[in-house]
Amino acid sequence: MMTTFLILAIGLALGFFGAPLVAWAAAYGVLLLWIGASTVLWSVYAALVALFCVVPVRRTLLSRPLMAWMRAAGILPKISRTEQEALEAGTVWIEGEFFGGKPDLDRLLNIPTPELNNEEKDFLDGPVADLCAMVDDWEVFQHRDLPPEAWQALAEHRFFGMIIPKKYGGLELSASAVSAVIGKLSSRSIPLGITAMVPNSLGPAELLLHYGTDEQKDRYLPRLATGKDIPCFALTEPSAGSDAGSMKARGVVYRAENGELMLRLNWRKRYITLASIASLIGLAFKLEDPDMLLGGDPHPGITCALIPAETPGVVRGRQHDPLGVPFYNCPFEGHNVEVSIDAIIGGPKRAGQGWRMLMEQLAAGRGIMLPATSAAGSKMLARVTGSYATVRKQFGLNIGKFEGIAEPMARIAGSAYTLESARRIMAGALDGGAKPAVASAIAKYYFTEGFRDNVNDAMDILGGAGISCGPRNLLAHAYFAAPISITVEGANILTRTLMIFGQGAIRCHPFAYREISALQNGDLNEFDDSFWGHVGHVIRNMSRSLVLTASRGYLASCPVEGPSRRYLQKLSWASATFAFYADVAMGAYGGDLKRKEILTGRFSDALSWMFLASATVHRFEADGRPKEDLALFRHSMETAMAHIQTAFEGIFANFDAPLIGAAVRGPVQLWARLNSIGRGPTDADVNSVAHLMQIPGVQRDRLFDLVYLPSNPEEAGAKLEVAFLACVQADQIVVKIRKAIRKRLMPKGKPVAMLDAAVRAGIIRPDEADEVRAAERLRDDAIQVDGFSTREYLRTAVNGGWEGGNASQPHGPTAGKSDGLSAA
């Protein structure tokens, strides 16, 4: 019994610390000496050491037959060309730490998050703020367009060229600055943010910067930077959305009569943002070279090219109406469009590399634009709901004092804190040269879903003020727009169920991709190294998961003290558990795992919330552990831990793989429920977070910064903010009257109705009574909603755009929109 215990204890310890094989051999050799092992045991020991530790022996006797069997049985999934290009796109960042099962917490805490330089700050405070002030979001929706002066400012101040280097006339902003700009513009008006976002995200400028020829850069980038050319990128088709590999757009290489190599293109694209006004089309298509004029494969594959919109054969369709949110978006078609072979981005040598190019840039782009919009939008929702909950009264109390209101308020603030934390760390990573494909997919999904949850909570809090459209409504347009971001840059459902874990399990895993590649290439040496490395990886994570689960993470090492320590230990615990069961799932299901989308979605949830939690800890530590933020930090972290717990419980409860499924669904699931990683925020933290949302001052401004706050006192946002500040001050005066009533110095009644009596009793001063009356007038005005006459209500943008113009004619640099498909 003692010997068995020692064998298990030594194995657990060696596995926990990830000891190499030589350490295992030495440890068990010492054990055999200690127990006085027989010759038979020594013989078995020597055979095992030779089999596993002597590489030539292991490769010959174990790895070679194992490799042959796995290739024949199809144990590991085969990877297509497009899948391989997607997997190899971008870089592995901190998300890879969680697949490793032992995250490097020092590395996590020391990830740099660059500050904006003075030039970037001036741009935010100057042109960005000025542009926001030009735009009235209600009027944008009424006229279905930005005002002409906004279009002029977008071009004049080079908003379309934020990512373009200065030598080409652009602004050359950092990723952090672009993120801040897009967030601030979107907090003012989502159509404004979208209009500035698209030219600076995945599209012609981005692709030219990384893959274009010098001639292409010199020709197009200056025009894109100054808005002389408005770009769009055409990828999606009626039958090819998230499955871009099914695209039917075709380009055929042929030789013209003058001997020049040309492309003949045919395509049908839809949902193309800015297509209505674009003058330059970035086009993704499948290239065919039947005569092998390019000297290689007759089917090079997906390719990207630049097509001027006025090229004969290019037609654009009728404007889409995405949930009434007014930004330019329409289909494009091309019928026998003929362009030079030099239209391929990067020239002929880049033929067939389009998918790789798109995946590499999407790996970065997903981490900037939509996260910026969602983070800024969530911070704006936190400000609005905090102000409104203070101003709005029911049953004689500010509604923010009701715990039923406090709960969704705290969810909004906690989410805003988490999303801003992840936005900062993602932008910092991109500025540092990383292109984290899986982390960007996580950001795209959880930012946009988080914002949708937040705007739903905000609508519940504001009630009628949230659903009554008009200039006073601060939520409706965000509510309309929330589902749009869910669908773009990869549908969220597929992003969660297929991409985050499906791509992450192979790309971020330290051994899986190497094993698959070795099997496909028949590389025995690489297979041997990766397979046995994978076995050791599984043993280590199994040991760590057992030890950390039993100790509730307390045995995990941690580089910091204070409030973050316990959460970092839990992240180590969660990572070990996640990494081990991810390997168990891959081994148990094999290639069928990709079809277990509900299960892989739960793995995605666990991975994603570990990433979001790590970003939140990073921010709290980087900010110097501010005590005033502690409740908000705890709320955010406990929310993340509860999501991780839910994901694990779902995995264990539905693990139906043969042989081991019953064990996972039984004792493992039960133990996971009894030994929870997290249950969610406490009521005390919920109330504390809701309270801080209703306190004006430096902390509130710091937490919910980088959003546009209107200075025009007639605007609804400004009215609400002024009323909020006045009501907070007035409430401090009203407290004096309440105390007097409790002490029976005044008769019972509503304090606001007893101002004169309170002045006569010497409870408050006359100027204080006037201050309360003024606050009540501001309160009453701030909670009003818009009303319209019948004629006003029936008026639509069809009756006229800006200054009586035709609303169907855009105010952008080009005006190619029509009522039907027509030549561009």
Side-chain angles (χ1 to χ4, degrees):
M1 180 65 73
M2 177 61 72
T3 302
T4 302
F5 173 79
L6 286 174
I7 291 172
L8 294 175
I10 291 171
L12 197 61
L14 292 169
F16 183 84
F17 292 105
L21 276 174
V22 64
W24 286 73
Y28 283 112
V30 170
L31 177 61
L32 289 178
L33 284 173
W34 185 75
I35 65 173
S38 66
T39 303
V40 173
L41 281 177
W42 276 110
S43 299
V44 172
Y45 168 78
L48 290 174
V49 169
L51 188 61
F52 288 98
C53 296
V54 181
V55 175
V57 175
R58 184 181 69 215
R59 287 178 177 171
T60 302
L61 298 181
L62 290 179
S63 298
R64 188 183 298 279
L66 182 62
M67 179 177 172
W69 173 74
M70 291 180 71
R71 294 185 74 182
I75 298 298
L76 294 179
K78 292 184 178 180
I79 300 176
S80 67
R81 176 181 171 182
T82 53
E83 287 176 320
Q84 183 174 356
E85 290 178 346
L87 285 170
E88 293 176 352
T91 57
V92 176
W93 188 45
I94 61 171
E95 69 273 34
E97 299 280 351
F98 299 114
F99 270 97
K102 188 180 180 182
D104 186 338
L105 300 179
D106 279 312
R107 179 193 178 196
L108 164 65
L109 294 175
N110 289 306
I111 293 173
T113 50
E115 295 290 329
L116 303 186
N117 61 39
N118 290 333
E119 185 178 359
E120 292 169 338
K121 291 177 181 177
D122 290 342
F123 186 69
L124 269 175
D125 296 336
V128 175
D130 293 341
L131 176 58
C132 288
M134 294 176 190
V135 175
D136 182 313
D137 194 48
W138 171 252
E139 293 299 322
V140 170
F141 272 73
Q142 291 301 291
H143 294 285
R144 306 292 191 268
D145 198 2
L146 302 175
E149 57 268 27
W151 280 108
Q152 183 178 349
L154 283 164
E156 180 181 340
H157 294 289
R158 311 200 174 192
F159 281 88
F160 297 133
M162 289 190 288
I163 65 171
I164 295 175
K166 292 179 180 178
K167 70 176 182 178
Y168 296 111
L171 296 178
E172 200 173 342
L173 299 184
S174 65
S176 297
V178 172
S179 174
V181 170
I182 295 300
K184 192 165 187 174
L185 295 177
S186 300
S187 72
R188 176 55 161 172
S189 171
I190 289 175
L192 176 62
I194 292 172
T195 302
M197 177 194 306
V198 172
N200 292 285
S201 59
L202 179 64
E206 183 81 13
L207 294 172
L208 282 169
L209 283 172
H210 292 91
Y211 311 106
T213 64
D214 290 340
E215 182 181 355
Q216 289 172 336
K217 292 176 182 178
D218 292 338
R219 178 181 178 186
Y220 290 114
L221 289 179
R223 295 180 58 83
L224 290 168
T226 57
K228 292 180 181 178
D229 269 329
I230 297 295
C232 68
F233 193 81
L235 176 63
T236 305
E237 300 179 0
S239 59
S242 297
D243 180 17
S246 297
M247 72 172 63
K248 295 180 179 179
R250 288 293 186 272
V252 179
V253 181
Y254 71 98
R255 191 179 298 278
E257 292 182 359
N258 63 2
E260 182 181 0
L261 289 182
M262 302 285 289
L263 291 174
R264 183 177 292 110
L265 298 158
N266 286 275
W267 74 82
R268 291 177 63 208
K269 302 287 185 177
R270 69 175 179 180
Y271 307 145
I272 312 304
T273 302
L274 295 187
S276 307
I277 60 172
S279 58
L280 183 65
I281 307 166
L283 180 71
F285 59 95
K286 286 186 176 178
L287 181 64
E288 304 288 344
D289 185 13
D291 298 323
M292 298 175 64
L293 297 173
L294 299 180
D297 190 337
H299 308 286
I302 297 175
T303 301
C304 296
L306 293 177
I307 315 296
E310 70 274 10
T311 305
V314 175
V315 294
R316 63 181 117 208
R318 304 175 73 179
Q319 170 75 17
H320 295 311
D321 184 4
L323 290 175
V325 180
F327 62 93
Y328 291 116
N329 188 292
C330 79
F332 253 128
E333 291 185 11
H335 304 289
N336 293 321
V337 176
E338 297 182 343
V339 295
S340 168
I341 197 73
D342 293 329
I344 294 176
I345 296 176
K349 68 178 182 180
R350 292 286 184 181
Q353 296 183 25
W355 188 241
R356 182 182 297 274
M357 292 157 57
L358 293 172
M359 291 299 97
E360 286 176 351
Q361 298 318 307
L362 192 59
R366 280 194 180 121
I368 299 179
M369 301 303 179
L370 293 176
T373 301
S374 298
S378 296
K379 288 187 289 185
M380 179 59 80
L381 292 173
R383 291 193 73 106
V384 168
T385 53
S387 298
Y388 188 84
T390 303
V391 171
R392 177 67 166 159
K393 279 188 173 182
Q394 292 285 276
F395 307 106
L397 291 174
N398 304 340
I399 64 172
K401 295 186 183 298
F402 294 101
E403 288 194 347
I405 299 294
E407 189 174 23
M409 285 177 64
R411 282 199 300 263
I412 295 170
S415 175
Y417 186 82
T418 297
L419 296 184
E420 175 63 10
S421 303
R423 183 197 72 83
R424 292 182 188 181
I425 201 172
M426 280 291 301
L430 296 170
D431 282 327
K435 293 182 178 180
V438 175
S440 291
I442 290 172
K444 192 274 172 182
Y445 178 87
Y446 287 90
F447 273 78
T448 55
E449 292 290 345
F451 176 72
R452 178 160 63 174
D453 291 340
N454 294 337
V455 76
N456 283 334
D457 274 336
M459 290 291 283
D460 287 347
I461 294 167
L462 266 68
I467 66 172
S468 300
C469 287
R472 288 177 174 267
N473 193 308
L474 298 172
L475 298 185
H477 294 164
Y479 183 80
F480 298 161
I484 296 173
S485 60
I486 302 297
T487 68
V488 299
E489 293 186 2
N492 270 14
I493 291 175
L494 294 184
T495 299
R496 173 178 175 264
T497 58
L498 293 179
M499 292 184 61
I500 294 174
F501 182 73
Q503 185 175 6
I506 298 176
R507 184 70 172 93
C508 297
H509 194 286
F511 299 103
Y513 190 46
R514 290 174 55 194
E515 287 175 272
I516 293 171
S517 298
L519 280 175
Q520 290 191 168
N521 299 328
D523 188 334
L524 175 61
N525 292 349
E526 177 65 12
F527 174 79
D528 177 81
D529 290 342
S530 57
F531 179 83
W532 295 109
H534 194 163
V535 171
H537 173 79
V538 172
I539 292 172
R540 187 194 72 175
N541 286 328
M542 179 181 67
S543 302
R544 286 182 58 79
S545 179
L546 287 171
V547 172
L548 294 180
T549 299
S551 68
R552 293 194 48 77
Y554 279 104
L555 291 180
S557 61
C558 184
V560 299
E561 298 295 334
S564 299
R565 180 179 180 83
R566 187 70 190 112
Y567 293 116
L568 289 173
Q569 289 176 324
K570 285 189 173 185
L571 278 176
S572 292
W573 170 17
S575 176
T577 301
F578 168 83
F580 174 63
Y581 283 101
D583 273 316
V584 170
M586 287 190 285
Y589 290 106
D592 289 335
L593 183 58
K594 67 169 63 177
R595 287 179 282 277
K596 303 286 291 184
E597 294 177 22
I598 302 176
L599 189 67
T600 59
R602 296 189 181 104
F603 274 110
S604 296
D605 292 340
L607 173 63
S608 300
W609 281 103
M610 284 189 286
F611 168 73
L612 293 172
S614 67
T616 305
V617 173
H618 179 278
R619 173 183 180 177
F620 184 70
E621 290 292 316
D623 286 350
R625 306 177 191 172
K627 291 182 179 179
E628 64 272 21
D629 294 355
L630 185 56
L632 183 55
F633 171 68
R634 282 199 303 258
H635 186 287
S636 300
M637 292 302 297
E638 291 296 342
T639 298
M641 294 300 153
H643 280 293
I644 293 169
Q645 174 68 20
T646 299
F648 282 154
E649 288 186 14
I651 291 168
F652 301 149
N654 294 278
F655 205 92
D656 58 358
L659 301 179
I660 61 172
V664 175
R665 292 195 305 274
V668 173
Q669 179 192 0
L670 177 61
W671 179 242
R673 288 184 175 177
L674 295 174
N675 190 36
S676 173
I677 286 178
R679 299 294 187 190
T682 65
D683 292 352
D685 281 338
V686 165
N687 286 316
S688 294
V689 171
H691 179 64
L692 73 83
M693 294 170 69
Q694 300 173 75
I695 302 174
V698 174
Q699 183 191 13
R700 185 170 182 264
D701 292 339
R702 173 176 55 81
L703 290 172
F704 310 126
D705 64 349
L706 294 178
V707 297
Y708 179 73
L709 301 177
S711 57
N712 181 354
E714 295 304 312
E715 289 196 35
K719 286 184 176 183
L720 180 59
E721 192 72 10
V722 169
F724 165 64
L725 297 173
C727 288
V728 169
Q729 194 66 31
D731 285 346
Q732 296 175 9
I733 299 170
V734 169
V735 166
K736 298 179 182 180
I737 303 176
R738 292 187 189 279
K739 289 181 177 179
I741 294 172
R742 285 197 295 269
K743 293 178 180 180
R744 299 185 179 180
L745 299 176
M746 294 183 65
K748 289 184 178 180
K750 293 183 177 180
V752 174
M754 305 174 68
L755 294 174
D756 290 335
V759 171
R760 289 193 297 270
I763 306 299
I764 61 174
R765 302 188 307 271
D767 63 302
E768 290 179 318
D770 292 338
E771 192 173 338
V772 173
R773 293 188 185 98
E776 290 302 306
R777 289 192 295 271
L778 292 169
R779 186 197 303 271
D780 182 68
D781 182 54
I783 64 173
Q784 298 304 311
V785 299
D786 295 288
F788 304 92
S789 68
T790 301
R791 183 177 181 181
E792 290 171 331
Y793 179 70
L794 295 176
R795 181 171 64 88
T796 70
V798 174
N799 291 324
W802 290 96
E803 299 176 357
N806 186 344
S808 69
Q809 295 302 314
H811 286 281
T814 63
K817 201 167 63 167
S818 69
D819 289 335
L821 276 173
S822 63

